[in-house]
Amino acid sequence: MSQRNTGVTVQAVNAQACPVREVLDRVSGKWSVQILVAAAHGPIRFTELERGIEGISRRMLTLTLRNLERDGLVTRTVHPTVPPKVEYELTPVARELHETLQRLTDWAERNRVYIAESRAAYDVEHDKEQV
Amino acid sequence: MSQRNTGVTVQAVNAQACPVREVLDRVSGKWSVQILVAAAHGPIRFTELERGIEGISRRMLTLTLRNLERDGLVTRTVHPTVPPKVEYELTPVARELHETLQRLTDWAERNRVYIAESRAAYDVEHDKEQV
DNA sequence: CAGAATCCCCGCGGATACTG
DNA sequence: CAGTATCCGCGGGGATTCTG
């Protein structure tokens, strides 16, 4: 979406008309799914997420959590203690999503080798004439 | 991945260790899924895809098709006629993927209203104190 | 502990023009 | 018809620093 004039409109139209894009927008972003997976077992604290998800920055963890919260996929519970304690938990809707994502993961695991081999074959086939 | 030094390594490790990211890398990108959906009915020509997928550019159609082909998700068949005719078709593996994507789409349709309402609620809740 | 703010890089993807 | 090639802008997201 790098257009200045029509970008917003097109995006809105696509999102409304196309459930495919709608779900992808929800699940895209580098960290959304991993957060959903990490939080699937039950309430989890900010720092636990941070340590459980390899490579995520504080910033992105916060941002992604905010978006998930906005979409009604996680709840954010602040315990007014000191030091502060904030727990995140999946909503029922997110739990459904997590189940269907599981199928995708299964697919990936079943076909990981096939894909790797396809890539390798494709690369040999197409690289050998350049350099 | 905007790092210069560790970027490649981290990505590779993640892709190998984490089927979640692996499948997302396959499915992310603005057009991959829509192409898979459009090609699900059977062999389809380049131009048919271009017209069937609202808003896609020639460039992105080509690039995304190349990637899908590289991953062994679509086959590319060139008919040596004039004018040229190129047909794309899903591989069995991609057809499996398409089925599981269907579940995701179903989820999106079931919960589209819930998500929209959640967003609206969140926005009212958080915007009213600024400006 | 759980963020908010700021800066900055790079790569996705759009627009446009040219070819076998 | 089915691409390639080039240029360019936006925004995702990393690194870093500062707070209640």
Side-chain angles (χ1 to χ4, degrees):
Chain A
M1 225 64 52
S2 60
Q3 285 174 303
R4 292 118 303 220
N5 36 4
T6 61
V8 177
T9 312
V10 170
Q11 189 175 37
V13 168
N14 276 350
Q16 284 190 354
C18 180
V20 177
R21 280 238 56 77
E22 201 170 336
V23 72
L24 283 182
D25 287 346
R26 220 97 333 283
V27 149
S28 80
K30 200 171 172 179
W31 304 108
S32 308
V33 175
Q34 295 186 65
I35 290 181
L36 291 180
V37 171
H41 306 297
I44 187 170
R45 303 185 57 176
F46 187 87
T47 316
E48 294 176 328
L49 283 169
E50 193 177 7
R51 277 177 306 200
I53 302 178
E54 185 102 10
I56 197 172
S57 65
R58 239 189 198 84
R59 170 184 147 82
M60 286 317 294
L61 181 54
T62 305
L63 282 181
T64 311
L65 281 171
R66 289 291 175 277
N67 282 329
L68 291 175
E69 189 192 356
R70 187 167 106 101
D71 289 343
L73 297 183
V74 305
T75 59
R76 177 171 179 272
T77 313
V78 182
H79 298 86
T81 61
V82 45
K85 171 176 177 177
V86 181
E87 285 188 319
Y88 294 91
E89 189 172 13
L90 296 196
T91 65
V93 167
R95 237 176 281 278
E96 282 185 48
L97 175 59
H98 178 256
E99 280 183 39
T100 80
L101 286 177
Q102 189 62 46
R103 322 256 181 164
L104 268 191
T105 305
D106 293 344
W107 176 87
E109 272 176 352
R110 281 202 310 277
N111 301 108
R112 131 185 312 175
V113 174
Y114 167 82
I115 292 180
E117 287 174 351
S118 301
R119 285 190 172 208
Y122 184 96
D123 290 345
V124 203
E125 189 72 15
H126 291 76
D127 283 354
K128 59 182 173 195
E129 305 193 6
Q130 57 194 56
V131 173
Chain B
M1 225 65 51
S2 59
Q3 285 174 301
R4 293 116 302 216
N5 36 2
T6 61
V8 176
T9 312
V10 170
Q11 190 176 37
V13 170
N14 275 350
Q16 285 191 352
C18 180
V20 176
R21 281 240 53 79
E22 201 170 337
V23 71
L24 283 183
D25 287 347
R26 224 95 332 282
V27 148
S28 80
K30 201 172 172 180
W31 304 107
S32 307
V33 175
Q34 294 185 67
I35 291 181
L36 291 179
V37 171
H41 306 297
I44 187 169
R45 302 185 57 176
F46 187 88
T47 316
E48 295 176 328
L49 282 169
E50 192 177 8
R51 277 177 306 202
I53 302 177
E54 185 102 11
I56 197 171
S57 65
R58 236 188 201 87
R59 171 184 145 82
M60 286 318 294
L61 181 54
T62 303
L63 282 181
T64 311
L65 281 172
R66 289 292 176 276
N67 282 328
L68 292 175
E69 190 193 356
R70 187 168 106 100
D71 289 344
L73 297 183
V74 305
T75 59
R76 177 170 179 272
T77 314
V78 182
H79 299 85
T81 61
V82 45
K85 173 175 177 179
V86 181
E87 286 188 319
Y88 295 90
E89 188 170 13
L90 296 196
T91 65
V93 167
R95 236 176 281 280
E96 282 184 50
L97 175 59
H98 179 256
E99 279 182 40
T100 79
L101 286 177
Q102 189 61 46
R103 323 255 180 163
L104 269 191
T105 305
D106 294 343
W107 176 87
E109 273 175 350
R110 281 202 310 279
N111 301 108
R112 129 185 312 173
V113 174
Y114 167 82
I115 292 180
E117 287 175 352
S118 299
R119 285 190 173 209
Y122 185 95
D123 290 345
V124 208
E125 190 73 14
H126 291 76
D127 284 353
K128 60 183 174 195
E129 305 192 7
Q130 57 193 55
V131 173

